[in-house]
Amino acid sequence: MNWDDESDDRIVAAAADGEDTAVEAALRPKDLGEFVGQEKVRQQLDLVLKAARQRGATADHVLLSGAPGLGKTTLSMIIAAEMGAPIRITSGPAIQHAGDLAAILSSLQEGEVLFLDEIHRMSRPAEEMLYMAMEDFRVDVIVGKGPGATAIPLELPPFTLVGATTRAGLLPPPLRDRFGFTGHMEFYAPAELERVVHRSAGLLDVEIDTAGAAEIAGRSRGTPRIANRLLRRVRDYAQVKADGVITREVAATALQVYEVDARGLDRLDRAVLEALLKLFGGGPVGLSTLAVAVGEERETVEEVAEPFLVREGLLARTPRGRIATPAAWAHLGLVPPQQGGGGTSGQQGLFGA
Ligand SMILES: Nc1ncnc2c1ncn2[C@@H]1O[C@H](COP(=O)(O)OP(=O)(O)OP(=O)(O)O)[C@@H](O)[C@H]1O
């Protein structure tokens, strides 16, 4: 299986796949009240937007940073809705020339929200044009080439730029400084994801009990997009194999079918952990050796599997190589060699609690 494009294959991928895109529109919270969690960002944004509304002004530019699937697009739509403004959605990779950006900026209406996803992936010239547009609501359109080229200034209506990035650290400081408000989106707590699951189940018209929602939430890697995707797969299972109602047992059995374990690890994550524990006694082992052992590319192990394993405190990256933590041994039901001698005994169900 090719894991390189995360979104293609993994049920626990944080990036959107084709089916997500279609369903997500229906599941998006429409206002700040419906938006679950992210209390700090929500409160701060609420103030920014209320104040702008009271002044009858366009809201300040907003930068949202955080991992994929945490609700940056959703929040940008909510900002537009709260301001009663239309929204235009585009992304950094789609703006490769300054002219692309000039065309978008010059067609904005007054007060419009421009959502620029993956803003860190814009081209340099476009980025420089954006500086002036954000600060002075003006761009210089260059006409002609070489010594005869002239800059024609173009006034823009006031607008709100909402930039989204997974890598705030990659933004050049002049761009970062031009945002009036920066909100950092955190991974969601299980109780918050439970609320997301309940809300989505209601919208999808699926019956689910509290324990069923908790089971899905616990396997969703802190990410609402994954919670919604797992819910849809569990709904399929409940419909085909059970009476349509999602209970803890139905959710756990369904997700076992999809190889998502109690902590949200999938087959690749577990293969990496198992190799680290069973073949290398918990490490330290070099990344390349570990990748060969699981039959994957180095980059796949490093970029696709490891970030979540590190975040979960199951694996650590050290200068001497990768090492497993005591929690990794416990999660796979294995005994560390120093304590138990065998290292691979006592394996229990990987899908257990
Ligand atoms: N706080 C939330 N409450 C309820 N649902 C949410 C919340 N955040 C996100 N979702 C749901 O998760 C899905 C993904 O959210 P969204 O597209 O906004 O994420 P994103 O951060 O923009 O992802 P990407 O960076 O990949 O574009 C949507 O279906 C949305 O409804």
Side-chain angles (χ1 to χ4, degrees):
M1 183 179 284
N2 169 26
W3 300 97
D4 291 349
D5 185 353
E6 240 217 326
S7 59
D8 276 351
D9 299 304
R10 302 182 84 198
I11 192 172
V12 292
D17 64 22
E19 186 192 344
D20 291 330
T21 314
V23 186
E24 275 177 4
L27 298 181
R28 281 188 203 287
K30 303 278 185 282
D31 56 43
L32 278 179
E34 271 186 60
F35 192 83
V36 174
Q38 308 291 346
E39 293 304 329
K40 264 209 195 97
V41 175
R42 227 157 36 108
Q43 269 179 13
Q44 294 165 346
L45 207 48
D46 192 34
L47 280 174
V48 170
L49 300 181
K50 273 199 181 119
R53 273 203 310 264
Q54 279 175 12
R55 290 194 298 268
T58 302
D60 257 352
H61 303 304
V62 173
L63 179 65
L64 299 174
S65 72
L70 298 186
K72 298 183 293 298
T73 309
T74 306
L75 214 43
S76 74
M77 291 178 171
I78 290 176
I79 291 172
E82 300 264 339
M83 294 305 291
I87 182 166
R88 185 89 55 97
I89 296 182
T90 185
S91 72
I95 299 177
Q96 281 316 309
H97 306 286
D100 301 337
L101 183 63
I104 294 172
L105 291 171
S106 60
S107 64
L108 291 176
Q109 297 173 38
E110 181 163 349
E112 190 158 353
V113 171
L114 174 63
F115 178 60
L116 230 167
D117 203 2
E118 297 188 81
I119 193 168
H120 59 276
R121 293 180 62 197
M122 237 184 344
S123 72
R124 212 52 222 276
E127 198 177 277
E128 276 161 18
M129 174 179 274
L130 195 59
Y131 295 163
M132 198 195 282
M134 290 172 78
E135 201 153 274
D136 303 330
F137 297 109
R138 190 167 68 85
V139 288
D140 280 340
V141 180
I142 310 291
V143 181
K145 277 191 178 150
T150 17
I152 301 181
L154 189 69
E155 295 294 321
L156 303 173
F159 66 95
T160 300
L161 177 72
V162 180
T165 181
T166 47
R167 323 272 295 268
L170 288 187
L171 285 193
L175 180 56
R176 234 181 313 160
D177 294 346
R178 282 171 168 80
F179 287 96
F181 171 74
T182 299
H184 181 69
M185 318 273 288
E186 306 282 351
F187 285 100
Y188 290 67
E192 293 169 338
L193 286 179
E194 242 181 275
R195 281 164 56 204
V196 171
V197 170
H198 267 301
R199 180 180 170 278
S200 300
L203 291 169
L204 294 170
D205 207 13
V206 190
E207 206 178 318
I208 187 165
D209 69 16
T210 309
E215 193 62 39
I216 294 175
R219 297 178 189 226
S220 299
R221 302 160 78 108
T223 307
R225 171 173 291 133
I226 299 176
N228 284 340
R229 193 184 301 130
L230 296 187
L231 171 65
R232 298 202 301 275
R233 294 293 74 83
V234 174
R235 171 183 66 167
D236 294 346
Y237 181 91
Q239 181 190 318
V240 175
K241 298 275 192 191
D243 59 0
V245 181
I246 301 177
T247 59
R248 180 186 295 282
E249 204 193 338
V250 166
T253 319
L255 291 175
Q256 191 167 346
V257 171
Y258 287 102
E259 303 187 285
V260 179
D261 76 15
R263 233 171 143 151
L265 276 66
D266 75 348
R267 198 158 63 84
L268 174 67
D269 302 320
R270 277 195 310 277
V272 170
L273 266 198
E274 273 183 16
L276 180 57
L277 301 185
K278 291 183 178 174
L279 302 179
F280 306 108
V285 60
L287 174 61
S288 303
T289 310
L290 189 57
V292 170
V294 290
E296 292 291 348
E297 297 295 326
R298 210 183 126 90
E299 292 73 26
T300 306
V301 172
E302 187 173 27
E303 289 158 27
V304 180
E306 281 188 354
F308 179 64
L309 296 175
V310 171
R311 177 153 70 82
E312 281 290 288
L314 297 169
L315 178 147
R317 293 166 168 167
T318 74
R320 291 188 308 137
R322 272 52 179 171
I323 56 169
T325 65
W329 292 97
H331 183 63
L332 292 198
L334 301 172
V335 183
Q338 311 88 294
Q339 291 163 25
T344 57
S345 61
Q347 183 160 6
Q348 289 148 12
L350 301 184
F351 297 98

